[in-house]
């Protein structure tokens, strides 16, 4: 079977270098737009050299609870993450700061009113 013709398939994951999660929807009340994700990429690529960004609507379910959230995940391949512990810590701090600045700007520019049901 060709993967291109399959509706569902298993994809083996390569070792992950670093993943940053942004709880976008909790603060924005909406999904991040494609243009916003591209802007995040433009901020991060000079620091990382390569990045993969996913904007997702995530559903977590169990017998006793169900919730949905809008999240942005940023993945940096292992070869672009410093090996040295101190350098890695500084690298992570810079990326998280950039992601937070990006999210705050997006939320400020356009947000949905969040109300309790």
């Amino acid at each position: 079977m060709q993967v291109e013709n399959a509706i569902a398939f298993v994809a083996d994951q390569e070792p992950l270098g670093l993943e940053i999660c942004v709880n976008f929807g909790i603060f924005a009340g909406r999904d991040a737009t494609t243009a916003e994700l591209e802007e995040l990429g433009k901020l991060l690529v000079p620091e990382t050299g390569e990045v993969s960004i996913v904007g997702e609507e995530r559903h977590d379910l169990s017998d006793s609870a169900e919730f949905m959230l809008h999240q942005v995940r940023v993945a940096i391949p292992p070869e672009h993450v410093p090996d040295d512990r101190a350098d890695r810590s500084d690298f992570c701090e810079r990326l998280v700061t950039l992601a937070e600045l990006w999210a705050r700007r997006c939320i400020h520019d356009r947000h949905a009113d969040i109300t309790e049901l």
Side-chain angles (χ1 to χ4, degrees):
M1 174 176 29
Q2 295 180 351
V3 172
E4 296 86 21
N5 296 331
I7 292 175
F9 56 92
V10 173
D12 290 332
Q13 295 285 348
E14 292 185 26
L16 185 63
L18 181 68
E19 184 173 77
I20 298 167
C21 296
V22 181
N23 289 321
F24 191 85
I26 291 174
F27 299 99
R30 62 178 179 82
D31 287 332
T33 67
T34 301
E36 289 169 334
L37 296 176
E38 290 171 357
E39 286 300 316
L40 177 58
K42 289 176 186 175
L43 284 173
L44 296 176
V45 166
E47 292 287 332
T48 63
E50 182 180 339
V51 66
S52 174
I53 301 173
V54 176
E56 63 186 0
E57 180 178 283
R58 181 176 167 161
H59 296 259
D60 287 337
L61 311 164
S62 72
D63 289 337
S64 60
E66 178 179 331
F67 69 92
M68 187 263 310
L69 60 95
H70 304 287
Q71 185 174 352
V72 174
R73 288 184 300 116
V74 178
I76 296 96
E79 62 270 15
H80 294 278
V81 179
D83 291 327
D84 178 76
R85 187 179 179 119
D87 291 343
R88 182 184 175 98
S89 178
D90 291 344
F91 181 72
C92 291
E93 188 175 326
R94 284 193 313 274
L95 298 184
V96 167
T97 298
L98 287 172
E100 287 178 349
L101 291 170
W102 165 80
R104 290 179 191 280
R105 184 173 53 213
C106 293
I107 293 162
H108 179 266
D109 290 347
R110 188 174 142 245
H111 66 276
D113 290 329
I114 301 171
T115 59
E116 289 190 37
L117 300 175

